[in-house]
Amino acid sequence: MLYLVRMDVHLPSDMPADQAEEIKAREKAYSQRLQREGKWPQLYRIVGEYANYSIFDVESNDELHTLLSNLPLFPYLEIAVTPLARHPSSIH
């Protein structure tokens, strides 16, 4: 199942810089593992925002929920999920 996921990051302004960097490093490692596994095949930065659009390819709503809730940045994310279906006019 394909999902379009928008993630907006809202780190607290008073979070110590070293704590923020540690969380971001764990986030990067986790997201790159999911990308290598094929569960997170596309990841795009939204220009001018601390946000991204991502495509996830997972087996179920429950799997997506688990992957998202395990993101180290999850407590600081505003997430919007849109399920996707193949378009009949797509050549892919």
Side-chain angles (χ1 to χ4, degrees):
M1 299 175 70
L2 293 174
Y3 298 88
L4 173 67
V5 179
R6 179 180 169 127
M7 291 181 252
D8 292 82
V9 183
H10 303 288
L11 291 176
S13 60
D14 61 347
M15 178 181 280
D18 59 335
Q19 181 183 359
E21 292 308 314
E22 187 272 332
I23 292 169
K24 289 187 238 179
R26 287 189 294 122
E27 180 86 5
K28 183 176 183 177
Y30 180 67
S31 70
Q32 288 180 346
R33 179 174 61 85
L34 294 177
Q35 290 172 66
R36 284 190 288 278
E37 293 173 359
K39 295 178 183 295
W40 194 336
Q42 297 180 49
L43 171 59
Y44 301 97
R45 172 179 285 163
I46 299 173
V47 176
E49 299 182 38
Y50 193 2
N52 72 75
Y53 279 116
S54 296
I55 301 292
F56 283 84
D57 188 359
V58 295
E59 294 297 317
S60 67
N61 295 335
D62 290 332
E63 182 181 10
L64 179 63
H65 179 78
T66 298
L67 294 178
L68 294 175
S69 63
N70 283 325
L71 289 165
L73 284 171
F74 183 77
Y76 312 104
L77 295 175
E78 181 180 333
I79 299 174
V81 176
T82 304
L84 300 173
R86 300 278 179 204
H87 194 284
S89 296
S90 175
I91 62 170
H92 296 32

